[in-house]
Amino acid sequence: MKKYAYFCGFLLMVFFFLGSLSVQAEEIKNNTGNIEIKNENVDAEKWNKKDKILENREETKSVELEQEKNKKDRYILLLKDNGFAYYLDSQNVKWKPIPYSETEEILDVWIKLINVDSSEEEYSYPKKYFLEHYYIRPKRQQIQFLSELEVAGRPDNAIKERAYSVHNWENIVSGSLEDEIYHKVMAVMKKKNQFWPAHTSVRDVLEDIFRISL
């Protein structure tokens, strides 16, 4: 009888032990599944962050390329001379009535000078450049210098320029820097179909170029 009782007790202990093992195995399985799901969520978050970083980089690169394109479209290379490249600011070039005249118009232009000679370039951040302001008078092939600015970064809008004067017009001297600037600017305006003011008539053009009075 005692042996039977011991045997039954032993079987109960075995069943209890096997049951506890089964419960532990189920818990381990559930925990492993949770860890795998958690790891999957973490990996997904990491990939989402990487995708967002890549998207931001692509957007930044796209904006920079667009800005560079606009910059190239705006500044048109005219010539290179004495270590400087001369660019016409095509965005701000315009026809305007000559002071004290109701019939004649002149070109108002800004020229950007950038040092392209690395041996003579002074280091500065932002990079330094120059802006020159001119009036151009096609009717008499004359040019008038107004100001020159040394700029690092954005130029100051409050600038000092010499006042317009009819006595400051200079005739174009063949081979001079002003000669090249004058003709390069006029070539750009011709290419843009703005060689003459929009309201200028054929008669005015003939009178100005060929001195023909109609």
Side-chain angles (χ1 to χ4, degrees):
M1 191 73 180
K2 288 182 179 180
K3 289 183 178 179
Y4 180 75
Y6 288 143
F7 181 72
C8 290
F10 176 75
L11 287 178
L12 288 173
M13 289 178 64
V14 170
F15 286 139
F16 179 77
F17 179 74
L18 291 176
S20 64
L21 288 178
S22 176
V23 171
Q24 289 179 2
E26 187 66 26
E27 289 178 353
I28 292 171
K29 182 179 179 181
N30 291 335
N31 290 336
T32 303
N34 292 334
I35 291 172
E36 288 178 353
I37 292 172
K38 186 176 181 181
N39 289 337
E40 288 179 359
N41 291 334
V42 170
D43 290 340
E45 289 178 3
K46 287 182 179 178
W47 280 112
N48 288 334
K49 287 181 180 179
K50 287 182 179 179
D51 289 340
K52 287 181 180 179
I53 291 172
L54 291 175
E55 287 177 4
N56 291 335
R57 287 179 180 174
E58 289 297 325
E59 289 178 2
T60 302
K61 188 175 180 180
S62 177
V63 170
E64 289 176 349
L65 290 174
E66 185 67 23
Q67 290 176 344
E68 189 64 24
K69 181 180 180 299
N70 292 337
K71 188 176 179 181
K72 288 181 179 178
D73 291 341
R74 175 176 177 175
Y75 293 100
I76 301 173
L77 178 64
L78 299 177
L79 66 128
K80 292 182 180 180
D81 180 75
N82 297 328
F84 283 91
Y86 294 72
Y87 293 87
L88 172 66
D89 183 353
S90 62
Q91 180 173 297
N92 287 321
V93 62
K94 57 183 176 291
W95 290 99
K96 63 186 299 182
I98 192 171
Y100 318 119
S101 173
E102 296 180 358
T103 58
E104 186 180 356
E105 294 199 4
I106 56 177
L107 272 174
D108 185 330
V109 300
W110 285 93
I111 307 295
K112 185 175 184 178
L113 284 71
I114 298 177
N115 190 343
V116 293
D117 187 352
S118 57
S119 63
E120 297 183 4
E121 184 178 5
E122 295 181 10
Y123 175 78
S124 67
Y125 184 82
K127 191 173 181 179
K128 184 172 65 177
Y129 62 94
F130 297 90
L131 285 175
E132 292 184 345
H133 192 192
Y134 290 95
Y135 285 155
I136 289 177
R137 192 179 189 183
K139 187 171 184 178
R140 298 194 180 182
Q141 289 198 347
Q142 293 178 326
I143 192 168
Q144 182 168 162
F145 173 81
L146 297 173
S147 65
E148 181 180 79
L149 309 176
E150 183 176 329
V151 183
R154 287 185 179 273
D156 189 353
N157 200 44
I159 60 175
K160 293 182 179 180
E161 296 187 319
R162 70 176 184 177
Y164 167 83
S165 173
V166 68
H167 303 294
N168 290 336
W169 286 111
E170 300 175 8
N171 293 323
I172 300 299
V173 177
S174 179
S176 66
L177 176 61
E178 289 75 15
D179 176 38
E180 290 201 56
I181 290 175
Y182 175 91
H183 286 98
K184 295 287 186 181
V185 169
M186 295 309 296
V188 170
M189 298 302 291
K190 183 177 182 180
K191 189 175 181 180
K192 293 166 67 70
N193 294 321
Q194 297 177 12
F195 192 76
W196 298 104
H199 59 273
T200 303
S201 66
V202 175
R203 175 177 178 175
D204 293 332
V205 173
L206 289 175
E207 289 182 353
D208 291 340
I209 296 178
F210 301 106
R211 301 293 186 266
I212 299 175
S213 180
L214 300 177

